[in-house]
PDB file of all heavy atoms in Angstrom:
ATOM      1  N   MET A 168       7.311   0.565  -2.744  1.00 97.00           N
ATOM      2  CA  MET A 168       7.843   1.720  -2.129  1.00 97.00           C
ATOM      3  C   MET A 168       9.255   1.668  -2.367  1.00 97.00           C
ATOM      4  O   MET A 168       9.943   0.615  -1.880  1.00 97.00           O
ATOM      5  CB  MET A 168       7.503   2.031  -0.661  1.00 97.00           C
ATOM      6  CG  MET A 168       8.076   3.138  -0.053  1.00 97.00           C
ATOM      7  SD  MET A 168       7.482   3.367   1.687  1.00 97.00           S
ATOM      8  CE  MET A 168       5.802   4.066   1.322  1.00 97.00           C
ATOM      9  N   THR A 169      10.007   2.559  -2.987  1.00 95.00           N
ATOM     10  CA  THR A 169      11.618   2.508  -3.062  1.00 95.00           C
ATOM     11  C   THR A 169      12.152   2.916  -1.822  1.00 95.00           C
ATOM     12  O   THR A 169      11.495   3.437  -0.901  1.00 95.00           O
ATOM     13  CB  THR A 169      11.966   3.433  -4.206  1.00 95.00           C
ATOM     14  OG1 THR A 169      11.681   4.761  -3.850  1.00 95.00           O
ATOM     15  CG2 THR A 169      11.157   3.200  -5.519  1.00 95.00           C
ATOM     16  N   ASN A 170      13.520   2.854  -1.796  1.00 91.00           N
ATOM     17  CA  ASN A 170      14.275   3.125  -0.438  1.00 91.00           C
ATOM     18  C   ASN A 170      14.218   4.620  -0.433  1.00 91.00           C
ATOM     19  O   ASN A 170      14.441   5.087   0.782  1.00 91.00           O
ATOM     20  CB  ASN A 170      15.554   2.508  -0.511  1.00 91.00           C
ATOM     21  CG  ASN A 170      16.425   3.163  -1.642  1.00 91.00           C
ATOM     22  OD1 ASN A 170      16.130   3.918  -2.331  1.00 91.00           O
ATOM     23  ND2 ASN A 170      17.757   2.718  -1.546  1.00 91.00           N
ATOM     24  N   SER A 171      13.979   5.515  -1.321  1.00 92.00           N
ATOM     25  CA  SER A 171      13.790   6.846  -1.134  1.00 92.00           C
ATOM     26  C   SER A 171      12.354   7.263  -0.777  1.00 92.00           C
ATOM     27  O   SER A 171      12.174   8.521  -0.575  1.00 92.00           O
ATOM     28  CB  SER A 171      14.265   7.597  -2.463  1.00 92.00           C
ATOM     29  OG  SER A 171      13.284   7.254  -3.517  1.00 92.00           O
ATOM     30  N   GLY A 172      11.473   6.334  -0.716  1.00 91.00           N
ATOM     31  CA  GLY A 172      10.078   6.702  -0.314  1.00 91.00           C
ATOM     32  C   GLY A 172       9.148   6.999  -1.449  1.00 91.00           C
ATOM     33  O   GLY A 172       7.971   7.126  -1.100  1.00 91.00           O
ATOM     34  N   ALA A 173       9.475   6.856  -2.580  1.00 96.00           N
ATOM     35  CA  ALA A 173       8.567   7.006  -3.693  1.00 96.00           C
ATOM     36  C   ALA A 173       7.715   5.738  -3.730  1.00 96.00           C
ATOM     37  O   ALA A 173       8.127   4.570  -3.543  1.00 96.00           O
ATOM     38  CB  ALA A 173       9.304   7.173  -5.043  1.00 96.00           C
ATOM     39  N   SER A 174       6.455   5.850  -4.236  1.00 97.00           N
ATOM     40  CA  SER A 174       5.537   4.701  -4.180  1.00 97.00           C
ATOM     41  C   SER A 174       4.629   4.803  -5.457  1.00 97.00           C
ATOM     42  O   SER A 174       4.462   5.817  -5.982  1.00 97.00           O
ATOM     43  CB  SER A 174       4.739   4.594  -2.988  1.00 97.00           C
ATOM     44  OG  SER A 174       3.982   5.765  -2.856  1.00 97.00           O
ATOM     45  N   ASP A 175       4.097   3.677  -5.789  1.00 97.00           N
ATOM     46  CA  ASP A 175       3.145   3.689  -6.880  1.00 97.00           C
ATOM     47  C   ASP A 175       2.258   2.430  -6.812  1.00 97.00           C
ATOM     48  O   ASP A 175       2.622   1.497  -5.977  1.00 97.00           O
ATOM     49  CB  ASP A 175       3.820   3.731  -8.342  1.00 97.00           C
ATOM     50  CG  ASP A 175       2.842   4.209  -9.299  1.00 97.00           C
ATOM     51  OD1 ASP A 175       1.618   4.531  -9.081  1.00 97.00           O
ATOM     52  OD2 ASP A 175       3.289   4.219 -10.522  1.00 97.00           O
ATOM     53  N   TYR A 176       1.147   2.375  -7.474  1.00 98.00           N
ATOM     54  CA  TYR A 176       0.138   1.425  -7.292  1.00 98.00           C
ATOM     55  C   TYR A 176      -0.397   0.873  -8.535  1.00 98.00           C
ATOM     56  O   TYR A 176      -0.356   1.557  -9.630  1.00 98.00           O
ATOM     57  CB  TYR A 176      -1.136   2.019  -6.480  1.00 98.00           C
ATOM     58  CG  TYR A 176      -0.689   2.449  -5.211  1.00 98.00           C
ATOM     59  CD1 TYR A 176      -0.241   3.827  -5.088  1.00 98.00           C
ATOM     60  CD2 TYR A 176      -0.747   1.756  -4.037  1.00 98.00           C
ATOM     61  CE1 TYR A 176       0.170   4.329  -3.718  1.00 98.00           C
ATOM     62  CE2 TYR A 176      -0.406   2.258  -2.782  1.00 98.00           C
ATOM     63  CZ  TYR A 176       0.026   3.442  -2.638  1.00 98.00           C
ATOM     64  OH  TYR A 176       0.342   3.957  -1.445  1.00 98.00           O
ATOM     65  N   LEU A 177      -0.872  -0.412  -8.589  1.00 98.00           N
ATOM     66  CA  LEU A 177      -1.695  -0.932  -9.623  1.00 98.00           C
ATOM     67  C   LEU A 177      -2.875  -0.026  -9.805  1.00 98.00           C
ATOM     68  O   LEU A 177      -3.504   0.410  -8.849  1.00 98.00           O
ATOM     69  CB  LEU A 177      -2.111  -2.322  -9.216  1.00 98.00           C
ATOM     70  CG  LEU A 177      -2.937  -3.141 -10.264  1.00 98.00           C
ATOM     71  CD1 LEU A 177      -2.165  -3.551 -11.403  1.00 98.00           C
ATOM     72  CD2 LEU A 177      -3.492  -4.383  -9.466  1.00 98.00           C
ATOM     73  N   ALA A 178      -3.311   0.273 -11.052  1.00 98.00           N
ATOM     74  CA  ALA A 178      -4.218   1.284 -11.434  1.00 98.00           C
ATOM     75  C   ALA A 178      -5.631   0.793 -10.752  1.00 98.00           C
ATOM     76  O   ALA A 178      -6.204   1.859 -10.224  1.00 98.00           O
ATOM     77  CB  ALA A 178      -4.458   1.375 -12.881  1.00 98.00           C
ATOM     78  N   SER A 179      -5.924  -0.383 -10.651  1.00 97.00           N
ATOM     79  CA  SER A 179      -7.203  -0.808 -10.084  1.00 97.00           C
ATOM     80  C   SER A 179      -7.357  -0.607  -8.623  1.00 97.00           C
ATOM     81  O   SER A 179      -8.377  -0.629  -7.885  1.00 97.00           O
ATOM     82  CB  SER A 179      -7.616  -2.225 -10.487  1.00 97.00           C
ATOM     83  OG  SER A 179      -6.546  -3.138  -9.879  1.00 97.00           O
ATOM     84  N   VAL A 180      -6.195  -0.367  -7.796  1.00 98.00           N
ATOM     85  CA  VAL A 180      -6.282  -0.195  -6.369  1.00 98.00           C
ATOM     86  C   VAL A 180      -5.846   1.316  -5.975  1.00 98.00           C
ATOM     87  O   VAL A 180      -5.836   1.547  -4.836  1.00 98.00           O
ATOM     88  CB  VAL A 180      -5.356  -1.181  -5.736  1.00 98.00           C
ATOM     89  CG1 VAL A 180      -5.468  -2.513  -6.235  1.00 98.00           C
ATOM     90  CG2 VAL A 180      -3.753  -0.773  -5.794  1.00 98.00           C
ATOM     91  N   ARG A 181      -5.340   2.100  -7.009  1.00 98.00           N
ATOM     92  CA  ARG A 181      -4.956   3.334  -6.648  1.00 98.00           C
ATOM     93  C   ARG A 181      -6.196   4.190  -6.112  1.00 98.00           C
ATOM     94  O   ARG A 181      -7.305   4.223  -6.553  1.00 98.00           O
ATOM     95  CB  ARG A 181      -4.478   4.101  -7.879  1.00 98.00           C
ATOM     96  CG  ARG A 181      -3.657   5.466  -7.605  1.00 98.00           C
ATOM     97  CD  ARG A 181      -3.010   5.991  -8.900  1.00 98.00           C
ATOM     98  NE  ARG A 181      -1.885   5.167  -9.373  1.00 98.00           N
ATOM     99  CZ  ARG A 181      -1.818   4.569 -10.518  1.00 98.00           C
ATOM    100  NH1 ARG A 181      -2.773   4.658 -11.414  1.00 98.00           N
ATOM    101  NH2 ARG A 181      -0.689   3.842 -10.817  1.00 98.00           N
ATOM    102  N   GLY A 182      -5.750   4.890  -4.958  1.00 97.00           N
ATOM    103  CA  GLY A 182      -6.871   5.580  -4.139  1.00 97.00           C
ATOM    104  C   GLY A 182      -7.622   4.786  -3.112  1.00 97.00           C
ATOM    105  O   GLY A 182      -8.367   5.295  -2.335  1.00 97.00           O
ATOM    106  N   ARG A 183      -7.456   3.518  -3.221  1.00 98.00           N
ATOM    107  CA  ARG A 183      -8.066   2.570  -2.192  1.00 98.00           C
ATOM    108  C   ARG A 183      -7.080   1.835  -1.249  1.00 98.00           C
ATOM    109  O   ARG A 183      -7.326   1.583  -0.169  1.00 98.00           O
ATOM    110  CB  ARG A 183      -8.837   1.485  -2.924  1.00 98.00           C
ATOM    111  CG  ARG A 183     -10.002   2.017  -3.799  1.00 98.00           C
ATOM    112  CD  ARG A 183     -10.864   0.837  -4.265  1.00 98.00           C
ATOM    113  NE  ARG A 183     -10.126  -0.125  -5.232  1.00 98.00           N
ATOM    114  CZ  ARG A 183      -9.966  -1.385  -4.844  1.00 98.00           C
ATOM    115  NH1 ARG A 183     -10.626  -1.899  -3.748  1.00 98.00           N
ATOM    116  NH2 ARG A 183      -9.468  -2.224  -5.728  1.00 98.00           N
ATOM    117  N   PHE A 184      -5.867   1.656  -1.857  1.00 98.00           N
ATOM    118  CA  PHE A 184      -4.748   0.992  -1.016  1.00 98.00           C
ATOM    119  C   PHE A 184      -3.734   1.951  -0.727  1.00 98.00           C
ATOM    120  O   PHE A 184      -3.419   2.866  -1.497  1.00 98.00           O
ATOM    121  CB  PHE A 184      -4.168  -0.221  -1.875  1.00 98.00           C
ATOM    122  CG  PHE A 184      -5.066  -1.427  -2.015  1.00 98.00           C
ATOM    123  CD1 PHE A 184      -6.424  -1.260  -1.577  1.00 98.00           C
ATOM    124  CD2 PHE A 184      -4.626  -2.550  -2.578  1.00 98.00           C
ATOM    125  CE1 PHE A 184      -7.186  -2.467  -1.864  1.00 98.00           C
ATOM    126  CE2 PHE A 184      -5.432  -3.685  -2.723  1.00 98.00           C
ATOM    127  CZ  PHE A 184      -6.733  -3.595  -2.513  1.00 98.00           C
ATOM    128  N   ALA A 185      -3.008   1.822   0.408  1.00 98.00           N
ATOM    129  CA  ALA A 185      -1.903   2.678   0.743  1.00 98.00           C
ATOM    130  C   ALA A 185      -0.790   1.905   1.355  1.00 98.00           C
ATOM    131  O   ALA A 185      -0.940   0.991   2.231  1.00 98.00           O
ATOM    132  CB  ALA A 185      -2.383   3.722   1.688  1.00 98.00           C
ATOM    133  N   ILE A 186       0.448   1.924   0.764  1.00 98.00           N
ATOM    134  CA  ILE A 186       1.603   1.288   1.274  1.00 98.00           C
ATOM    135  C   ILE A 186       2.390   2.212   2.167  1.00 98.00           C
ATOM    136  O   ILE A 186       2.514   3.473   1.975  1.00 98.00           O
ATOM    137  CB  ILE A 186       2.510   0.754   0.080  1.00 98.00           C
ATOM    138  CG1 ILE A 186       3.642  -0.141   0.550  1.00 98.00           C
ATOM    139  CG2 ILE A 186       2.985   1.996  -0.748  1.00 98.00           C
ATOM    140  CD1 ILE A 186       4.376  -0.826  -0.530  1.00 98.00           C
ATOM    141  N   SER A 187       2.903   1.722   3.186  1.00 97.00           N
ATOM    142  CA  SER A 187       3.618   2.484   4.207  1.00 97.00           C
ATOM    143  C   SER A 187       4.694   1.553   4.861  1.00 97.00           C
ATOM    144  O   SER A 187       4.695   0.287   4.680  1.00 97.00           O
ATOM    145  CB  SER A 187       2.860   3.199   5.141  1.00 97.00           C
ATOM    146  OG  SER A 187       2.196   2.150   6.076  1.00 97.00           O
ATOM    147  N   ARG A 188       5.786   2.033   5.497  1.00 95.00           N
ATOM    148  CA  ARG A 188       6.682   1.240   6.245  1.00 95.00           C
ATOM    149  C   ARG A 188       7.005   1.954   7.526  1.00 95.00           C
ATOM    150  O   ARG A 188       7.043   3.218   7.639  1.00 95.00           O
ATOM    151  CB  ARG A 188       7.824   0.985   5.357  1.00 95.00           C
ATOM    152  CG  ARG A 188       8.827   2.030   5.110  1.00 95.00           C
ATOM    153  CD  ARG A 188      10.094   1.574   4.395  1.00 95.00           C
ATOM    154  NE  ARG A 188      11.064   2.614   4.142  1.00 95.00           N
ATOM    155  CZ  ARG A 188      11.402   3.212   3.063  1.00 95.00           C
ATOM    156  NH1 ARG A 188      10.839   2.675   1.935  1.00 95.00           N
ATOM    157  NH2 ARG A 188      12.396   4.059   2.985  1.00 95.00           N
ATOM    158  N   ASP A 189       7.344   1.254   8.593  1.00 94.00           N
ATOM    159  CA  ASP A 189       7.915   1.626   9.784  1.00 94.00           C
ATOM    160  C   ASP A 189       9.283   1.123   9.828  1.00 94.00           C
ATOM    161  O   ASP A 189       9.547  -0.027  10.069  1.00 94.00           O
ATOM    162  CB  ASP A 189       7.050   1.142  10.962  1.00 94.00           C
ATOM    163  CG  ASP A 189       7.375   1.729  12.260  1.00 94.00           C
ATOM    164  OD1 ASP A 189       8.776   1.960  12.566  1.00 94.00           O
ATOM    165  OD2 ASP A 189       6.574   1.886  13.127  1.00 94.00           O
ATOM    166  N   ASN A 190      10.358   1.994   9.648  1.00 89.00           N
ATOM    167  CA  ASN A 190      11.722   1.638   9.666  1.00 89.00           C
ATOM    168  C   ASN A 190      12.154   1.182  11.031  1.00 89.00           C
ATOM    169  O   ASN A 190      13.013   0.198  11.098  1.00 89.00           O
ATOM    170  CB  ASN A 190      12.588   2.718   9.216  1.00 89.00           C
ATOM    171  CG  ASN A 190      12.454   3.024   7.681  1.00 89.00           C
ATOM    172  OD1 ASN A 190      12.040   2.290   6.958  1.00 89.00           O
ATOM    173  ND2 ASN A 190      12.614   4.380   7.469  1.00 89.00           N
ATOM    174  N   ALA A 191      11.767   1.713  12.019  1.00 92.00           N
ATOM    175  CA  ALA A 191      12.032   1.356  13.417  1.00 92.00           C
ATOM    176  C   ALA A 191      11.644  -0.147  13.827  1.00 92.00           C
ATOM    177  O   ALA A 191      12.171  -0.822  14.449  1.00 92.00           O
ATOM    178  CB  ALA A 191      11.511   2.237  14.398  1.00 92.00           C
ATOM    179  N   LYS A 192      10.421  -0.377  13.141  1.00 92.00           N
ATOM    180  CA  LYS A 192       9.925  -1.940  13.460  1.00 92.00           C
ATOM    181  C   LYS A 192      10.240  -2.836  12.334  1.00 92.00           C
ATOM    182  O   LYS A 192       9.841  -4.018  12.296  1.00 92.00           O
ATOM    183  CB  LYS A 192       8.399  -1.709  13.542  1.00 92.00           C
ATOM    184  CG  LYS A 192       7.862  -1.021  14.856  1.00 92.00           C
ATOM    185  CD  LYS A 192       6.486  -0.984  14.857  1.00 92.00           C
ATOM    186  CE  LYS A 192       5.927  -0.386  16.188  1.00 92.00           C
ATOM    187  NZ  LYS A 192       4.585  -0.249  16.280  1.00 92.00           N
ATOM    188  N   ASN A 193      10.966  -2.385  11.169  1.00 92.00           N
ATOM    189  CA  ASN A 193      11.149  -3.238  10.182  1.00 92.00           C
ATOM    190  C   ASN A 193       9.970  -3.881   9.515  1.00 92.00           C
ATOM    191  O   ASN A 193       9.931  -5.159   9.407  1.00 92.00           O
ATOM    192  CB  ASN A 193      12.334  -4.316  10.494  1.00 92.00           C
ATOM    193  CG  ASN A 193      13.744  -3.719  10.658  1.00 92.00           C
ATOM    194  OD1 ASN A 193      13.962  -2.594  10.065  1.00 92.00           O
ATOM    195  ND2 ASN A 193      14.459  -4.241  11.552  1.00 92.00           N
ATOM    196  N   THR A 194       8.957  -3.155   9.321  1.00 96.00           N
ATOM    197  CA  THR A 194       7.703  -3.622   9.055  1.00 96.00           C
ATOM    198  C   THR A 194       7.212  -2.834   7.802  1.00 96.00           C
ATOM    199  O   THR A 194       7.179  -1.591   7.767  1.00 96.00           O
ATOM    200  CB  THR A 194       6.676  -3.622  10.060  1.00 96.00           C
ATOM    201  OG1 THR A 194       7.240  -4.361  11.213  1.00 96.00           O
ATOM    202  CG2 THR A 194       5.255  -4.207   9.681  1.00 96.00           C
ATOM    203  N   LEU A 195       6.599  -3.430   6.903  1.00 97.00           N
ATOM    204  CA  LEU A 195       5.984  -2.869   5.667  1.00 97.00           C
ATOM    205  C   LEU A 195       4.342  -3.201   5.821  1.00 97.00           C
ATOM    206  O   LEU A 195       3.948  -4.252   6.380  1.00 97.00           O
ATOM    207  CB  LEU A 195       6.322  -3.619   4.465  1.00 97.00           C
ATOM    208  CG  LEU A 195       5.871  -3.104   3.052  1.00 97.00           C
ATOM    209  CD1 LEU A 195       6.387  -1.792   2.788  1.00 97.00           C
ATOM    210  CD2 LEU A 195       6.049  -4.015   1.956  1.00 97.00           C
ATOM    211  N   TYR A 196       3.680  -2.124   5.483  1.00 98.00           N
ATOM    212  CA  TYR A 196       2.253  -2.330   5.639  1.00 98.00           C
ATOM    213  C   TYR A 196       1.571  -2.133   4.191  1.00 98.00           C
ATOM    214  O   TYR A 196       2.017  -1.355   3.394  1.00 98.00           O
ATOM    215  CB  TYR A 196       1.702  -1.190   6.672  1.00 98.00           C
ATOM    216  CG  TYR A 196       2.154  -1.322   7.962  1.00 98.00           C
ATOM    217  CD1 TYR A 196       3.366  -0.483   8.349  1.00 98.00           C
ATOM    218  CD2 TYR A 196       1.743  -2.236   8.925  1.00 98.00           C
ATOM    219  CE1 TYR A 196       3.801  -0.634   9.741  1.00 98.00           C
ATOM    220  CE2 TYR A 196       2.285  -2.338  10.173  1.00 98.00           C
ATOM    221  CZ  TYR A 196       3.277  -1.605  10.458  1.00 98.00           C
ATOM    222  OH  TYR A 196       3.884  -1.573  11.880  1.00 98.00           O
ATOM    223  N   LEU A 197       0.351  -2.562   4.231  1.00 98.00           N
ATOM    224  CA  LEU A 197      -0.572  -2.236   3.104  1.00 98.00           C
ATOM    225  C   LEU A 197      -1.945  -2.104   3.624  1.00 98.00           C
ATOM    226  O   LEU A 197      -2.549  -3.044   4.171  1.00 98.00           O
ATOM    227  CB  LEU A 197      -0.642  -3.317   1.938  1.00 98.00           C
ATOM    228  CG  LEU A 197      -1.345  -2.996   0.661  1.00 98.00           C
ATOM    229  CD1 LEU A 197      -0.682  -1.860  -0.067  1.00 98.00           C
ATOM    230  CD2 LEU A 197      -1.440  -4.180  -0.121  1.00 98.00           C
ATOM    231  N   GLN A 198      -2.526  -0.896   3.666  1.00 98.00           N
ATOM    232  CA  GLN A 198      -3.851  -0.546   4.070  1.00 98.00           C
ATOM    233  C   GLN A 198      -4.714  -0.697   2.846  1.00 98.00           C
ATOM    234  O   GLN A 198      -4.539  -0.231   1.705  1.00 98.00           O
ATOM    235  CB  GLN A 198      -3.915   0.867   4.601  1.00 98.00           C
ATOM    236  CG  GLN A 198      -5.312   1.253   4.970  1.00 98.00           C
ATOM    237  CD  GLN A 198      -5.764   0.642   6.149  1.00 98.00           C
ATOM    238  OE1 GLN A 198      -5.049   0.400   7.224  1.00 98.00           O
ATOM    239  NE2 GLN A 198      -7.019   0.175   6.277  1.00 98.00           N
ATOM    240  N   LEU A 199      -5.739  -1.607   3.123  1.00 98.00           N
ATOM    241  CA  LEU A 199      -6.736  -1.988   1.965  1.00 98.00           C
ATOM    242  C   LEU A 199      -8.075  -1.476   2.477  1.00 98.00           C
ATOM    243  O   LEU A 199      -8.674  -1.684   3.379  1.00 98.00           O
ATOM    244  CB  LEU A 199      -6.763  -3.418   1.843  1.00 98.00           C
ATOM    245  CG  LEU A 199      -5.663  -4.211   1.175  1.00 98.00           C
ATOM    246  CD1 LEU A 199      -4.493  -4.215   2.086  1.00 98.00           C
ATOM    247  CD2 LEU A 199      -6.189  -5.650   0.921  1.00 98.00           C
ATOM    248  N   ASN A 200      -8.557  -0.418   1.622  1.00 98.00           N
ATOM    249  CA  ASN A 200      -9.884   0.124   1.898  1.00 98.00           C
ATOM    250  C   ASN A 200     -10.894  -0.144   0.714  1.00 98.00           C
ATOM    251  O   ASN A 200     -10.393  -0.415  -0.443  1.00 98.00           O
ATOM    252  CB  ASN A 200      -9.758   1.652   2.200  1.00 98.00           C
ATOM    253  CG  ASN A 200      -8.881   1.956   3.349  1.00 98.00           C
ATOM    254  OD1 ASN A 200      -8.959   1.304   4.277  1.00 98.00           O
ATOM    255  ND2 ASN A 200      -8.092   3.016   3.236  1.00 98.00           N
ATOM    256  N   SER A 201     -12.127   0.149   0.968  1.00 98.00           N
ATOM    257  CA  SER A 201     -13.132  -0.082  -0.091  1.00 98.00           C
ATOM    258  C   SER A 201     -12.981  -1.430  -0.876  1.00 98.00           C
ATOM    259  O   SER A 201     -12.962  -1.343  -2.136  1.00 98.00           O
ATOM    260  CB  SER A 201     -13.065   1.164  -1.088  1.00 98.00           C
ATOM    261  OG  SER A 201     -13.323   2.431  -0.363  1.00 98.00           O
ATOM    262  N   LEU A 202     -12.779  -2.380  -0.217  1.00 98.00           N
ATOM    263  CA  LEU A 202     -12.320  -3.780  -0.770  1.00 98.00           C
ATOM    264  C   LEU A 202     -13.530  -4.252  -1.755  1.00 98.00           C
ATOM    265  O   LEU A 202     -14.783  -4.063  -1.324  1.00 98.00           O
ATOM    266  CB  LEU A 202     -12.090  -4.678   0.263  1.00 98.00           C
ATOM    267  CG  LEU A 202     -10.700  -4.607   0.743  1.00 98.00           C
ATOM    268  CD1 LEU A 202     -10.449  -5.267   2.224  1.00 98.00           C
ATOM    269  CD2 LEU A 202      -9.570  -5.043  -0.184  1.00 98.00           C
ATOM    270  N   ARG A 203     -13.132  -4.840  -2.802  1.00 98.00           N
ATOM    271  CA  ARG A 203     -14.162  -5.416  -3.800  1.00 98.00           C
ATOM    272  C   ARG A 203     -13.828  -6.874  -3.835  1.00 98.00           C
ATOM    273  O   ARG A 203     -12.745  -7.473  -3.504  1.00 98.00           O
ATOM    274  CB  ARG A 203     -13.974  -4.754  -5.110  1.00 98.00           C
ATOM    275  CG  ARG A 203     -13.917  -3.367  -5.099  1.00 98.00           C
ATOM    276  CD  ARG A 203     -13.388  -2.631  -6.368  1.00 98.00           C
ATOM    277  NE  ARG A 203     -13.447  -1.285  -6.383  1.00 98.00           N
ATOM    278  CZ  ARG A 203     -12.785  -0.502  -7.325  1.00 98.00           C
ATOM    279  NH1 ARG A 203     -12.152  -1.019  -8.322  1.00 98.00           N
ATOM    280  NH2 ARG A 203     -12.862   0.843  -7.318  1.00 98.00           N
ATOM    281  N   SER A 204     -14.791  -7.604  -4.367  1.00 97.00           N
ATOM    282  CA  SER A 204     -14.577  -9.137  -4.580  1.00 97.00           C
ATOM    283  C   SER A 204     -13.384  -9.413  -5.354  1.00 97.00           C
ATOM    284  O   SER A 204     -12.697 -10.380  -5.176  1.00 97.00           O
ATOM    285  CB  SER A 204     -15.831  -9.732  -5.222  1.00 97.00           C
ATOM    286  OG  SER A 204     -16.171  -9.112  -6.405  1.00 97.00           O
ATOM    287  N   GLU A 205     -13.152  -8.521  -6.383  1.00 97.00           N
ATOM    288  CA  GLU A 205     -11.917  -8.780  -7.264  1.00 97.00           C
ATOM    289  C   GLU A 205     -10.591  -8.634  -6.568  1.00 97.00           C
ATOM    290  O   GLU A 205      -9.609  -8.940  -7.151  1.00 97.00           O
ATOM    291  CB  GLU A 205     -12.043  -8.028  -8.416  1.00 97.00           C
ATOM    292  CG  GLU A 205     -12.207  -6.462  -8.312  1.00 97.00           C
ATOM    293  CD  GLU A 205     -13.615  -5.989  -8.336  1.00 97.00           C
ATOM    294  OE1 GLU A 205     -14.469  -6.776  -7.902  1.00 97.00           O
ATOM    295  OE2 GLU A 205     -13.834  -4.908  -8.919  1.00 97.00           O
ATOM    296  N   ASP A 206     -10.616  -8.189  -5.413  1.00 98.00           N
ATOM    297  CA  ASP A 206      -9.449  -7.956  -4.498  1.00 98.00           C
ATOM    298  C   ASP A 206      -9.133  -9.337  -3.835  1.00 98.00           C
ATOM    299  O   ASP A 206      -8.018  -9.393  -3.173  1.00 98.00           O
ATOM    300  CB  ASP A 206      -9.504  -6.890  -3.507  1.00 98.00           C
ATOM    301  CG  ASP A 206      -9.727  -5.593  -4.180  1.00 98.00           C
ATOM    302  OD1 ASP A 206      -8.944  -5.296  -5.104  1.00 98.00           O
ATOM    303  OD2 ASP A 206     -10.443  -4.672  -3.608  1.00 98.00           O
TER     304      ASP A 206
END
């Protein structure tokens, strides 16, 4: 995720993972859904 908020993903995780950040908490997140063994 860039400082302007643009984001992108590895093709194999697009649609399953989501990146986000909380500026107030200085924390970056990665939500991982529909996990596979190859993750």
